[in-house]
PDB file of all heavy atoms in Angstrom:
ATOM      1  N   ALA A  53      92.044 103.787 104.921  1.00 74.00           N
ATOM      2  CA  ALA A  53      90.679 103.389 105.016  1.00 74.00           C
ATOM      3  C   ALA A  53      90.268 102.155 104.166  1.00 74.00           C
ATOM      4  O   ALA A  53      89.686 101.206 104.597  1.00 74.00           O
ATOM      5  CB  ALA A  53      89.768 104.668 104.597  1.00 74.00           C
ATOM      6  N   ALA A  54      91.017 102.207 102.951  1.00 74.00           N
ATOM      7  CA  ALA A  54      90.922 100.949 102.112  1.00 74.00           C
ATOM      8  C   ALA A  54      91.478  99.801 102.656  1.00 74.00           C
ATOM      9  O   ALA A  54      90.984  98.680 102.642  1.00 74.00           O
ATOM     10  CB  ALA A  54      91.403 101.257 100.738  1.00 74.00           C
ATOM     11  N   GLY A  55      92.661  99.951 103.360  1.00 76.00           N
ATOM     12  CA  GLY A  55      93.371  98.741 103.944  1.00 76.00           C
ATOM     13  C   GLY A  55      92.500  98.163 105.128  1.00 76.00           C
ATOM     14  O   GLY A  55      92.387  97.055 105.264  1.00 76.00           O
ATOM     15  N   VAL A  56      91.816  99.133 105.975  1.00 76.00           N
ATOM     16  CA  VAL A  56      91.087  98.456 106.994  1.00 76.00           C
ATOM     17  C   VAL A  56      89.827  97.885 106.525  1.00 76.00           C
ATOM     18  O   VAL A  56      89.445  96.718 107.016  1.00 76.00           O
ATOM     19  CB  VAL A  56      90.677  99.699 107.939  1.00 76.00           C
ATOM     20  CG1 VAL A  56      89.532  99.205 108.951  1.00 76.00           C
ATOM     21  CG2 VAL A  56      91.953 100.193 108.685  1.00 76.00           C
ATOM     22  N   MET A  57      89.170  98.499 105.384  1.00 78.00           N
ATOM     23  CA  MET A  57      88.097  97.774 104.748  1.00 78.00           C
ATOM     24  C   MET A  57      88.419  96.365 104.172  1.00 78.00           C
ATOM     25  O   MET A  57      87.695  95.454 104.369  1.00 78.00           O
ATOM     26  CB  MET A  57      87.455  98.615 103.659  1.00 78.00           C
ATOM     27  CG  MET A  57      86.682  99.711 104.227  1.00 78.00           C
ATOM     28  SD  MET A  57      86.046 100.939 103.053  1.00 78.00           S
ATOM     29  CE  MET A  57      85.502  99.747 101.672  1.00 78.00           C
ATOM     30  N   VAL A  58      89.602  96.325 103.521  1.00 75.00           N
ATOM     31  CA  VAL A  58      90.130  95.046 103.016  1.00 75.00           C
ATOM     32  C   VAL A  58      90.316  94.057 104.060  1.00 75.00           C
ATOM     33  O   VAL A  58      89.842  92.831 103.858  1.00 75.00           O
ATOM     34  CB  VAL A  58      91.239  95.140 102.131  1.00 75.00           C
ATOM     35  CG1 VAL A  58      91.848  93.885 101.715  1.00 75.00           C
ATOM     36  CG2 VAL A  58      90.885  96.017 100.813  1.00 75.00           C
ATOM     37  N   ILE A  59      90.917  94.444 105.096  1.00 79.00           N
ATOM     38  CA  ILE A  59      91.235  93.596 106.166  1.00 79.00           C
ATOM     39  C   ILE A  59      89.980  92.961 106.791  1.00 79.00           C
ATOM     40  O   ILE A  59      89.835  91.849 107.105  1.00 79.00           O
ATOM     41  CB  ILE A  59      92.234  94.175 107.238  1.00 79.00           C
ATOM     42  CG1 ILE A  59      93.531  94.217 106.607  1.00 79.00           C
ATOM     43  CG2 ILE A  59      92.256  93.299 108.505  1.00 79.00           C
ATOM     44  CD1 ILE A  59      94.530  95.118 107.316  1.00 79.00           C
ATOM     45  N   GLY A  60      89.000  94.010 107.114  1.00 75.00           N
ATOM     46  CA  GLY A  60      87.798  93.579 107.724  1.00 75.00           C
ATOM     47  C   GLY A  60      86.984  92.668 106.748  1.00 75.00           C
ATOM     48  O   GLY A  60      86.422  91.689 107.197  1.00 75.00           O
ATOM     49  N   LEU A  61      86.876  92.984 105.642  1.00 73.00           N
ATOM     50  CA  LEU A  61      86.118  92.091 104.546  1.00 73.00           C
ATOM     51  C   LEU A  61      86.799  90.817 104.417  1.00 73.00           C
ATOM     52  O   LEU A  61      86.013  89.837 104.503  1.00 73.00           O
ATOM     53  CB  LEU A  61      85.976  92.864 103.256  1.00 73.00           C
ATOM     54  CG  LEU A  61      85.229  92.058 102.161  1.00 73.00           C
ATOM     55  CD1 LEU A  61      83.758  92.011 102.614  1.00 73.00           C
ATOM     56  CD2 LEU A  61      85.448  92.802 100.768  1.00 73.00           C
ATOM     57  N   THR A  62      88.111  90.708 104.380  1.00 73.00           N
ATOM     58  CA  THR A  62      88.768  89.509 104.305  1.00 73.00           C
ATOM     59  C   THR A  62      88.557  88.616 105.454  1.00 73.00           C
ATOM     60  O   THR A  62      88.369  87.426 105.387  1.00 73.00           O
ATOM     61  CB  THR A  62      90.350  89.694 104.127  1.00 73.00           C
ATOM     62  OG1 THR A  62      90.396  90.561 102.991  1.00 73.00           O
ATOM     63  CG2 THR A  62      91.023  88.383 103.887  1.00 73.00           C
ATOM     64  N   SER A  63      88.661  89.249 106.631  1.00 71.00           N
ATOM     65  CA  SER A  63      88.362  88.439 107.842  1.00 71.00           C
ATOM     66  C   SER A  63      86.959  87.943 107.907  1.00 71.00           C
ATOM     67  O   SER A  63      86.696  86.826 108.293  1.00 71.00           O
ATOM     68  CB  SER A  63      88.653  89.433 109.118  1.00 71.00           C
ATOM     69  OG  SER A  63      89.987  89.818 109.076  1.00 71.00           O
ATOM     70  N   TRP A  64      86.076  88.840 107.614  1.00 70.00           N
ATOM     71  CA  TRP A  64      84.735  88.435 107.605  1.00 70.00           C
ATOM     72  C   TRP A  64      84.320  87.264 106.549  1.00 70.00           C
ATOM     73  O   TRP A  64      83.771  86.325 107.043  1.00 70.00           O
ATOM     74  CB  TRP A  64      83.790  89.580 107.294  1.00 70.00           C
ATOM     75  CG  TRP A  64      82.173  89.211 107.304  1.00 70.00           C
ATOM     76  CD1 TRP A  64      81.456  88.987 108.281  1.00 70.00           C
ATOM     77  CD2 TRP A  64      81.491  89.098 106.128  1.00 70.00           C
ATOM     78  NE1 TRP A  64      80.263  88.656 107.944  1.00 70.00           N
ATOM     79  CE2 TRP A  64      80.156  88.709 106.575  1.00 70.00           C
ATOM     80  CE3 TRP A  64      81.592  89.172 104.774  1.00 70.00           C
ATOM     81  CZ2 TRP A  64      79.123  88.506 105.663  1.00 70.00           C
ATOM     82  CZ3 TRP A  64      80.660  89.024 103.945  1.00 70.00           C
ATOM     83  CH2 TRP A  64      79.441  88.619 104.408  1.00 70.00           C
ATOM     84  N   LEU A  65      84.894  87.325 105.364  1.00 68.00           N
ATOM     85  CA  LEU A  65      84.811  86.321 104.429  1.00 68.00           C
ATOM     86  C   LEU A  65      85.533  85.011 104.882  1.00 68.00           C
ATOM     87  O   LEU A  65      84.993  83.866 104.575  1.00 68.00           O
ATOM     88  CB  LEU A  65      85.200  86.649 103.095  1.00 68.00           C
ATOM     89  CG  LEU A  65      84.394  87.772 102.411  1.00 68.00           C
ATOM     90  CD1 LEU A  65      85.035  88.308 101.045  1.00 68.00           C
ATOM     91  CD2 LEU A  65      82.907  87.331 101.982  1.00 68.00           C
ATOM     92  N   THR A  66      86.692  85.170 105.481  1.00 67.00           N
ATOM     93  CA  THR A  66      87.376  83.975 105.774  1.00 67.00           C
ATOM     94  C   THR A  66      86.707  83.250 106.838  1.00 67.00           C
ATOM     95  O   THR A  66      86.592  81.892 106.908  1.00 67.00           O
ATOM     96  CB  THR A  66      88.839  84.441 106.357  1.00 67.00           C
ATOM     97  OG1 THR A  66      89.577  85.204 105.339  1.00 67.00           O
ATOM     98  CG2 THR A  66      89.614  83.294 106.785  1.00 67.00           C
ATOM     99  N   PHE A  67      86.231  83.999 107.871  1.00 66.00           N
ATOM    100  CA  PHE A  67      85.626  83.173 109.106  1.00 66.00           C
ATOM    101  C   PHE A  67      84.015  83.013 108.947  1.00 66.00           C
ATOM    102  O   PHE A  67      83.616  82.240 109.728  1.00 66.00           O
ATOM    103  CB  PHE A  67      86.050  84.025 110.351  1.00 66.00           C
ATOM    104  CG  PHE A  67      87.503  83.896 110.668  1.00 66.00           C
ATOM    105  CD1 PHE A  67      88.207  85.052 110.566  1.00 66.00           C
ATOM    106  CD2 PHE A  67      88.081  82.725 111.107  1.00 66.00           C
ATOM    107  CE1 PHE A  67      89.568  85.101 110.954  1.00 66.00           C
ATOM    108  CE2 PHE A  67      89.411  82.777 111.404  1.00 66.00           C
ATOM    109  CZ  PHE A  67      90.151  83.765 111.208  1.00 66.00           C
ATOM    110  N   LYS A  68      83.572  83.498 107.897  1.00 62.00           N
ATOM    111  CA  LYS A  68      82.166  83.413 107.755  1.00 62.00           C
ATOM    112  C   LYS A  68      81.915  81.856 107.406  1.00 62.00           C
ATOM    113  O   LYS A  68      80.783  81.348 108.002  1.00 62.00           O
ATOM    114  CB  LYS A  68      81.638  84.221 106.461  1.00 62.00           C
ATOM    115  CG  LYS A  68      80.134  84.099 106.053  1.00 62.00           C
ATOM    116  CD  LYS A  68      79.849  84.959 104.896  1.00 62.00           C
ATOM    117  CE  LYS A  68      78.588  84.515 104.502  1.00 62.00           C
ATOM    118  NZ  LYS A  68      78.147  85.050 103.268  1.00 62.00           N
ATOM    119  N   ASN A  69      82.564  81.157 106.610  1.00 53.00           N
ATOM    120  CA  ASN A  69      82.402  79.868 106.187  1.00 53.00           C
ATOM    121  C   ASN A  69      83.234  78.916 107.012  1.00 53.00           C
ATOM    122  O   ASN A  69      83.265  77.714 106.569  1.00 53.00           O
ATOM    123  CB  ASN A  69      82.458  79.800 104.751  1.00 53.00           C
ATOM    124  CG  ASN A  69      81.417  80.538 103.982  1.00 53.00           C
ATOM    125  OD1 ASN A  69      80.385  80.704 104.516  1.00 53.00           O
ATOM    126  ND2 ASN A  69      81.827  81.141 102.907  1.00 53.00           N
TER     127      ASN A  69
END
Side-chain angles (χ1 to χ4, degrees):
V56 169
M57 282 181 35
V58 166
I59 289 170
L61 183 63
T62 303
S63 297
W64 180 72
L65 290 174
T66 300
F67 293 110
K68 176 182 171 192
N69 296 321

